[in-house]
Amino acid sequence: MTTGNRMAEKTAGIRDVAAHAGVSQTTVSHVLNATPHTRVAEDTAARVRAAAEKLGYRPNRFARGLRTHASDMIGLVTEEIATTPHAGRIILGAQEEATRRGLTLAIINSELNPDPEVDSAQVQTFLDRQADGIIYATVYHDEIVAPENLRARPAVLIGARDSTGTIPAVMPDEQAGAVSVVEMLLARGHRRIAFAASEEDVPATRGRLLGYQHAMRAAGLPIDDLVAFGTADARGGYAATLQLLDHEPTAVFCYNDRMAMGAYRAAGERGLTIPRDLSVVGFDDQAPIPESLFPTLTTVTLPHYEMGAWAVSTLDALLNGKGEDALLAAHPTLLACPLLERESVAPPRVAGS
Amino acid sequence: MTTGNRMAEKTAGIRDVAAHAGVSQTTVSHVLNATPHTRVAEDTAARVRAAAEKLGYRPNRFARGLRTHASDMIGLVTEEIATTPHAGRIILGAQEEATRRGLTLAIINSELNPDPEVDSAQVQTFLDRQADGIIYATVYHDEIVAPENLRARPAVLIGARDSTGTIPAVMPDEQAGAVSVVEMLLARGHRRIAFAASEEDVPATRGRLLGYQHAMRAAGLPIDDLVAFGTADARGGYAATLQLLDHEPTAVFCYNDRMAMGAYRAAGERGLTIPRDLSVVGFDDQAPIPESLFPTLTTVTLPHYEMGAWAVSTLDALLNGKGEDALLAAHPTLLACPLLERESVAPPRVAGS
DNA sequence: CTGAAAGCGCTTACAG
DNA sequence: CTGAAAGCGCTTACAG
């Protein structure tokens, strides 16, 4: 279809298309852009389209942007592109949604730098490059002071709410995710459900612990000796589970999948077979852990892809003046964290009561 | 510094700077762009810079691009942004190198689609958006037929060489990485070194197996019953290791970290303690596996970050007419895969001979 | 060392 | 339904 393009010395411009179709540039522009409130005779339009197709016409974005002030590009500033295992899915969600809407996604990493000046520089880069809007993604933050210049264009936050409650934001509903785990365990007959908590003080920690506590209380179950804290990694999970095992839980719900890896290890050392003697549940669905464990791990998925997509579509709405931003900004949008059942949960061996 | 920007109705243009400094637009342009072969009196230049600073002048990229035909943006087309655990590091390397060079990185995911038409459409998106150059990243391919339109601009390949040997390419030196593992094991005194191979037929599989074989042969060691094949995941590693264990290896080198997880499991079932009774080595350094295992896993790092950075700097060189492309394209550039030693290797229990 | 002027390729009132 | 013309904000020969 586009064959031969490579040979073209100069790529065809709107002028060439106009000449070829025997109409004015104005008409070409109207036809190709389907300008609203403009009627062009169908046969004229057809001629224009044929000419454009034949010449392989591709509008020059610079020229268009110079007139319209729109780049159709949105910028994504994200912490820890590589550090966090999930940033990839945020990027993917944002990119695919952008493509669906005819937008391009540019990305820049903010080095986890606590210095707001730096973040502000990253944002500035996008402003300079005429990004139509900006997505600012952080992880493990509850509330942030958004870089000042972020307000120069429509913007959206992923993973944190802005301190002035003025920028639309989206984050995972960690608490509801944790509640669903406990409820599933209860439905399977578990009563002594322990929680291996993270000792880090981040929103995810608080949300998951809260969800566990609420669900247990709602079921009228005691918690007292069933919560232990550890670092948010395999070693922390190992240590916490070892502690928990002294209080004879029938299930251990871990703050994250890495801690669950440690829980498997601890169970193994105590001669416990999962899930026969002990059920284990993780959180994050952090590849490749859940599928690599023996047995595979039941865990909770984080809506990274969805947050990326949400950010782009919300931004697109803002750009098109569908300004429900105030509405949106009042409370951050919470996206569900679906439970993903695999093999690590079974009914308790001895029926609890 | 940039305070007050938000209030500015219209952002200052070069005309405003010129007026403010009492010079022509030409001079402003020369000063701010440091145009070669143009001398401007230092005090004039200072006045211009002061005016630009004061007005918060930011050149309009559309206008500039319209004249220079350069966007300072490069496009990265990558397979499996999220599927593969490592794409994030490629992106990060590319993005940081781009930033260092004053370039912006835009990305687009190609859906692992075997249909070349689709990839060609992704490339077209960047061509339409006036990307100065394009990076085309694939994983697990040796040689690809590059999309036709990729040749419309300077381009660079990551992870595959193009069938016509005409586009610069970079990939990991899998074979050398595998050799270094065996050599390290030999240096520790191991002789019965087994390899848990992947049964997939991809370049990485072949390269790592080849490296193992060469190094063993170079040491005059037999291989015969020391290679077993499995799927490239934990279950495959488990099965392969179980098989291997019947032939009493003192070390098992696994195709990747996921297989190594399976090897740990197999060793545990046989009552073997790592590394006392059996040394295990992985490949990929796929987070969070190596740090989550008990003991932590010695493995080989893949140069994803470096490949991303290499791609951008090579592309930048091409864009600046430093066309060593022919030279580069003849053979793909191979980047080293450094060995990362952790806790899973020790000397063999019974001194081999 | 400095400036007047053309032009990059589009979109968009405005007119007919 | 269609077109002539201005102008978006820069860069860059060219001239002096």
Side-chain angles (χ1 to χ4, degrees):
Chain A
M1 308 308 165
T2 4
T3 336
N5 255 2
R6 288 178 54 205
M7 300 279 84
E9 282 299 320
K10 293 205 166 195
T11 125
I14 196 171
R15 185 142 74 202
D16 304 301
V17 178
H20 202 273
V23 298
S24 70
Q25 294 185 33
T26 306
T27 301
V28 173
S29 178
H30 285 328
V31 172
L32 266 24
N33 295 317
T35 316
H37 312 306
T38 303
R39 304 220 51 78
V40 175
E42 191 36 59
D43 58 326
T44 309
R47 236 163 50 239
V48 169
R49 275 188 281 266
E53 164 84 1
K54 171 147 186 241
L55 300 176
Y57 171 67
R58 310 255 94 184
N60 180 311
R61 314 292 302 210
F62 294 131
R64 175 181 289 176
L66 188 54
R67 285 305 313 247
T68 63
H69 296 289
S71 62
D72 290 347
M73 176 188 94
I74 69 188
L76 171 63
V77 179
T78 160
E79 280 184 345
E80 319 177 49
I81 286 181
T83 330
T84 192
H86 299 292
R89 295 206 63 80
I90 293 182
I91 295 177
L92 184 62
Q95 186 268 304
E96 293 199 341
E97 187 64 32
T99 299
R100 259 172 241 133
R101 294 165 181 269
L103 301 168
T104 298
L105 183 76
I107 65 165
I108 199 167
N109 188 49
S110 83
E111 320 240 345
L112 253 188
N113 203 310
D115 181 1
E117 292 282 314
V118 172
D119 287 345
S120 157
Q122 318 283 39
V123 171
Q124 189 60 48
T125 300
F126 282 136
L127 296 179
D128 287 351
R129 302 225 165 226
Q130 341 281 3
D132 291 342
I134 295 176
I135 300 171
Y136 195 82
T138 62
V139 255
Y140 299 139
H141 291 290
D142 191 21
E143 186 172 299
I144 61 164
V145 178
E148 171 75 8
N149 52 1
L150 196 57
R151 295 163 201 283
R153 303 274 157 91
V156 147
L157 261 28
I158 294 181
R161 105 193 59 207
D162 119 83
S163 55
T164 69
T166 250
I167 304 176
V170 65
M171 49 185 69
D173 195 343
E174 314 267 4
Q175 191 170 333
V179 166
S180 71
V181 168
V182 175
E183 287 177 345
M184 178 273 289
L185 257 11
L186 289 170
R188 291 280 192 294
H190 291 274
R191 289 299 173 268
R192 292 205 51 82
I193 303 170
F195 187 66
S198 158
E199 58 192 26
E200 280 183 282
D201 184 30
V202 295
T205 303
R206 291 190 292 272
R208 295 174 194 181
L209 180 54
L210 237 57
Y212 163 77
Q213 292 168 333
H214 285 1
M216 290 294 277
R217 256 175 228 141
L221 262 18
I223 286 181
D224 24 277
D225 55 356
L226 289 173
V227 176
F229 290 81
T231 51
D233 54 20
R235 270 138 195 91
Y238 171 75
T241 303
L242 240 29
Q243 227 177 294
L244 257 14
L245 254 19
D246 291 339
H247 302 94
E248 299 181 329
T250 59
V252 177
F253 173 20
C254 298
Y255 167 70
N256 67 14
D257 294 347
R258 284 181 296 154
M259 291 186 79
M261 269 189 80
Y264 271 57
R265 171 78 182 193
E269 284 187 7
R270 291 284 174 93
L272 266 24
T273 298
I274 299 170
R276 200 193 52 184
D277 307 316
L278 182 74
S279 289
V280 175
V281 179
F283 209 113
D284 280 357
D285 194 33
Q286 178 176 6
I289 294 179
E291 296 286 3
S292 300
L293 252 13
F294 300 77
T296 57
L297 179 68
T298 288
T299 188
V300 177
T301 300
L302 252 18
H304 290 289
Y305 182 95
E306 291 74 14
M307 293 195 294
W310 182 95
V312 169
S313 53
T314 301
L315 204 46
D316 195 30
L318 291 178
L319 290 170
N320 293 312
K322 318 232 177 68
E324 308 131 311
D325 43 350
L327 185 86
L328 287 162
H331 294 290
T333 297
L334 294 179
L335 259 29
C337 302
L339 183 62
L340 189 50
E341 303 205 36
R342 292 200 182 85
E343 308 167 345
S344 60
V345 172
R349 204 160 182 204
V350 182
S353 85
Chain B
M1 308 310 164
T2 4
T3 334
N5 254 0
R6 288 179 54 205
M7 299 281 85
E9 283 298 322
K10 292 206 165 196
T11 125
I14 196 172
R15 185 144 72 203
D16 304 301
V17 178
H20 201 273
V23 298
S24 69
Q25 294 185 32
T26 307
T27 300
V28 173
S29 178
H30 286 327
V31 171
L32 266 24
N33 295 317
T35 316
H37 313 305
T38 303
R39 304 220 53 76
V40 175
E42 192 36 59
D43 59 324
T44 309
R47 234 163 51 238
V48 169
R49 276 188 280 265
E53 165 84 0
K54 171 147 188 239
L55 300 176
Y57 171 67
R58 310 255 94 182
N60 180 310
R61 313 293 301 208
F62 293 132
R64 174 182 288 177
L66 190 53
R67 285 303 314 246
T68 63
H69 297 291
S71 61
D72 291 345
M73 175 188 94
I74 68 187
L76 171 62
V77 180
T78 161
E79 280 184 344
E80 318 177 48
I81 286 182
T83 330
T84 192
H86 299 292
R89 295 207 63 80
I90 292 181
I91 295 175
L92 183 62
Q95 186 268 304
E96 294 199 339
E97 187 63 32
T99 299
R100 259 172 241 134
R101 293 165 183 271
L103 301 168
T104 297
L105 184 75
I107 64 164
I108 198 166
N109 187 49
S110 83
E111 319 242 346
L112 253 189
N113 203 311
D115 180 2
E117 292 282 315
V118 172
D119 287 344
S120 157
Q122 319 284 40
V123 171
Q124 189 60 48
T125 300
F126 281 136
L127 296 179
D128 287 351
R129 303 226 166 225
Q130 340 281 6
D132 291 343
I134 296 176
I135 299 171
Y136 195 82
T138 62
V139 255
Y140 300 139
H141 291 291
D142 191 22
E143 186 173 301
I144 60 163
V145 177
E148 171 74 9
N149 52 0
L150 196 57
R151 294 161 202 285
R153 302 273 157 91
V156 146
L157 260 29
I158 294 181
R161 106 193 58 208
D162 119 82
S163 55
T164 70
T166 251
I167 305 177
V170 64
M171 49 185 70
D173 195 344
E174 314 267 4
Q175 191 170 333
V179 166
S180 71
V181 168
V182 175
E183 287 177 344
M184 178 272 288
L185 256 10
L186 289 169
R188 291 280 192 294
H190 291 274
R191 289 299 173 268
R192 292 203 53 82
I193 303 170
F195 187 66
S198 158
E199 58 192 26
E200 281 182 281
D201 184 30
V202 294
T205 303
R206 290 191 292 272
R208 294 174 194 181
L209 178 55
L210 237 57
Y212 163 77
Q213 291 168 333
H214 285 2
M216 289 295 277
R217 256 175 227 140
L221 261 20
I223 287 181
D224 23 278
D225 55 357
L226 289 174
V227 176
F229 290 82
T231 51
D233 53 21
R235 267 134 197 95
Y238 171 75
T241 302
L242 239 29
Q243 226 176 295
L244 258 12
L245 254 20
D246 291 338
H247 301 94
E248 300 181 328
T250 59
V252 177
F253 173 19
C254 299
Y255 167 70
N256 67 15
D257 294 347
R258 284 181 296 155
M259 290 185 79
M261 270 189 79
Y264 271 57
R265 171 78 182 193
E269 285 187 6
R270 291 285 175 92
L272 267 22
T273 298
I274 299 170
R276 199 193 53 183
D277 307 317
L278 182 73
S279 290
V280 175
V281 180
F283 209 114
D284 281 357
D285 194 32
Q286 178 177 4
I289 294 179
E291 296 287 1
S292 300
L293 253 12
F294 299 78
T296 58
L297 178 68
T298 288
T299 187
V300 177
T301 300
L302 252 18
H304 290 289
Y305 182 94
E306 291 74 13
M307 294 195 293
W310 183 95
V312 169
S313 53
T314 300
L315 203 47
D316 195 31
L318 291 178
L319 290 171
N320 293 314
K322 318 230 175 69
E324 308 131 312
D325 43 348
L327 184 86
L328 287 162
H331 294 290
T333 297
L334 294 180
L335 259 30
C337 302
L339 183 62
L340 190 49
E341 303 205 34
R342 292 200 182 85
E343 308 167 346
S344 61
V345 172
R349 203 159 182 204
V350 181
S353 89

